[in-house]
Amino acid sequence: MDLVSVIIPVYNVEPYLLRCVESVQNQSYKNLEIILVDDGSPDNCPKLCDELALKDDRIKVIHKENGGLGYARNSGLDVATGDYVMFIDSDDWISDTRVENLYNALTEHNADIAIGTYTDISSDGKASVLDIEVEAKVYEGDEVVQQLLLPMIGSDTAYPYDMHFNCCAWRSLYKMDVIKKNDLRFLSERVAVSEDMYFNVDFYAHTEKAVVTDDEGYFYFKNYDSISRRYDPKGIERTIKFYTQLYSQLEHYSLKDKVEYRVDRTFLMKTRTELMRVVTSDLPKKEKLRIIEEVLNIKTMEEVLSTYPIDTYVSSIRIFSKLMKNKKVRSVYRLIKLRESAQGQGLMKKALKLIGIGK
């Protein structure tokens, strides 16, 4: 029976760690190597990891200085001995059959990767299954790039939503041979946002066959205490780095001409997210306005907004993007504030009216 390595980075998740690890221990597929990477966690997690390892010889523990999620996963890959590898975030958990279902799909079709869908779990316990964004089937050759990789990089301008195919590494089971042969590793999210994207671009570029399944057994917990949801002073800088880093990577694989506006659209989406974090932070209003103005005057931002076909957006994002393009700092600020605070139907209509747009 093939060995499956399950890598779990651990940082400041004491209330959730046991739930995550126990869900892996209870898998119907038993031949597992469970790697807990303590990323310098300041809570009781390091001790809990060691205690878990004493009770289950399938568990390995790595203690390291804090370096972020991407590098924690790399530390796990450095010691992993499995034929296949899966990543799980330590505040999430998986169904008892998640590993078995992805493993069976991958090996049945002799694929390099098996991709499942997932279930969102809100803080009050409500579950919402993500619809499969692409057809559940086997993809071979150029289909991997055209139908999986490109939608993962970003949506086509004709697609109504900014995100088409979620790039999160935790939704997949990877063939370790592809990772080892090509020396694949994660970039740190402290260098550029979306560390999963770069890893998957590398992996898919070397993938001959992929299988998408309808397995829903990854439970993504919407932890609003997560660091990824807070304002980060370097967030904009890392978002700009995302744009340049991803284009450089695509150029390496001769894919730059195929992505058209996909990278630009994802970049603009991530920029809007960073602006939202600025506006909803505890910073003084004057500082928030200063940061927004600074962002809108960044050369890369100006170039993308000047070339992206903004009129292809749905109305709310189209108007917001035009405000950004025209450097309407206070209008951008007010629109974000209104979208965050107003409730019920007619939110956008009310918001647009209040900032002087529309009737």
Side-chain angles (χ1 to χ4, degrees):
M1 183 181 285
D2 292 319
L3 180 65
V4 174
S5 297
V6 181
I7 297 175
I8 306 174
V10 177
Y11 183 81
N12 208 25
V13 287
E14 187 174 343
Y16 315 113
L17 182 60
L18 290 180
R19 178 180 66 186
C20 176
V21 176
E22 287 174 357
S23 76
V24 181
Q25 291 175 303
N26 294 333
Q27 288 298 296
S28 57
Y29 191 94
K30 298 299 182 184
N31 194 25
L32 303 175
E33 173 184 63
I34 306 169
I35 303 173
L36 304 180
V37 184
D38 161 34
D39 191 30
S41 188
D43 57 5
N44 201 40
C45 282
K47 181 181 177 183
L48 286 174
C49 289
D50 290 335
E51 290 173 350
L52 286 164
L54 290 174
K55 298 175 184 177
D56 189 337
D57 60 10
R58 296 178 299 174
I59 295 178
K60 296 179 180 179
V61 179
I62 298 172
H63 296 289
K64 62 182 290 294
E65 291 184 7
N66 180 255
L69 178 62
Y71 287 167
R73 287 174 174 166
N74 290 345
S75 294
L77 285 172
D78 289 342
V79 302
T81 60
D83 303 287
Y84 304 93
V85 63
M86 175 184 289
F87 304 96
I88 301 178
D89 287 355
S90 48
D91 49 0
D92 301 335
W93 68 99
I94 56 177
S95 68
D96 292 351
T97 57
R98 177 69 167 191
V99 174
E100 182 177 9
N101 289 345
L102 293 190
Y103 172 81
N104 286 344
L106 191 154
T107 54
E108 178 184 348
H109 299 287
N110 192 27
D112 296 314
I113 183 174
I115 306 151
T117 186
Y118 58 94
T119 303
D120 279 335
I121 306 293
S122 65
S123 56
D124 59 2
K126 292 181 181 178
S128 176
V129 178
L130 177 80
D131 292 333
I132 305 175
E133 314 100 305
V134 294
E135 186 179 353
K137 67 169 194 175
V138 176
Y139 296 80
E140 295 187 68
D142 195 51
E143 289 179 332
V144 175
V145 171
Q146 295 294 334
Q147 298 179 44
L148 295 180
L149 178 55
L150 295 186
M152 182 190 70
I153 290 168
S155 298
D156 180 78
T157 54
Y159 193 73
Y161 306 108
D162 277 335
M163 184 178 292
H164 190 165
F165 183 41
N166 190 313
C167 69
C168 292
W170 42 252
R171 66 183 299 180
S172 301
L173 179 67
Y174 299 87
K175 191 173 184 178
M176 187 67 84
D177 190 51
V178 176
I179 295 172
K180 288 181 176 178
K181 280 184 176 179
N182 299 286
D183 195 25
L184 305 186
R185 288 296 185 271
F186 286 86
L187 184 69
S188 172
E189 72 281 4
R190 297 180 182 182
V191 174
V193 297
S194 198
E195 69 283 351
D196 292 21
M197 178 78 78
Y198 315 114
F199 181 83
N200 276 325
V201 168
D202 282 337
F203 193 94
Y204 282 48
H206 295 96
T207 294
E208 296 180 5
K209 187 186 293 186
V211 56
V212 175
T213 80
D214 59 3
D215 184 90
E216 305 165 355
Y218 187 100
F219 300 97
Y220 174 72
F221 179 57
K222 292 187 174 180
N223 180 7
Y224 288 98
D225 292 327
S226 170
I227 293 174
S228 66
R229 297 179 183 271
R230 303 173 194 163
Y231 167 65
D232 179 352
K234 292 187 176 293
I236 295 295
E237 177 185 329
R238 291 167 181 160
T239 301
I240 299 294
K241 182 66 175 178
F242 160 84
Y243 185 79
T244 56
Q245 173 70 27
L246 186 54
Y247 260 128
S248 174
Q249 191 177 16
L250 293 170
E251 193 167 26
H252 173 75
Y253 292 117
S254 300
L255 293 171
K256 189 173 180 179
D257 293 338
K258 294 184 178 182
V259 297
E260 295 183 299
Y261 294 112
R262 294 177 188 270
V263 178
D264 304 60
R265 185 166 181 179
T266 300
F267 167 68
L268 291 173
M269 175 189 70
K270 291 182 180 297
T271 300
R272 292 196 304 272
T273 299
E274 291 301 327
L275 290 176
M276 179 272 294
R277 288 173 178 156
V278 170
V279 173
T280 58
S281 71
D282 294 330
L283 292 171
K285 179 180 176 180
K286 184 177 180 180
E287 179 65 6
K288 294 176 182 180
L289 293 172
R290 185 197 66 78
I291 293 172
I292 294 172
E293 183 176 16
E294 184 177 277
V295 170
L296 299 184
N297 280 288
I298 293 173
K299 184 178 180 181
T300 302
M301 189 68 57
E302 292 176 329
E303 291 174 349
V304 174
L305 286 168
S306 69
T307 57
Y308 188 83
I310 290 173
D311 287 336
T312 61
Y313 273 132
V314 296
S315 60
S316 58
I317 305 302
R318 179 173 68 247
I319 294 167
F320 190 87
S321 300
K322 286 184 176 179
L323 291 175
M324 292 176 62
K325 180 179 179 179
N326 294 322
K327 301 181 182 180
K328 301 295 185 180
V329 175
R330 290 186 177 274
S331 294
V332 167
Y333 171 82
R334 292 171 66 189
L335 184 53
I336 295 173
K337 289 287 286 185
L338 287 164
R339 292 188 69 182
E340 289 298 309
S341 61
Q343 299 293 327
Q345 297 296 319
L347 163 61
M348 186 50 61
K349 184 176 180 180
K350 177 182 177 182
L352 296 177
K353 186 176 181 180
L354 286 172
I355 61 172
I357 299 175
K359 297 180 180 179

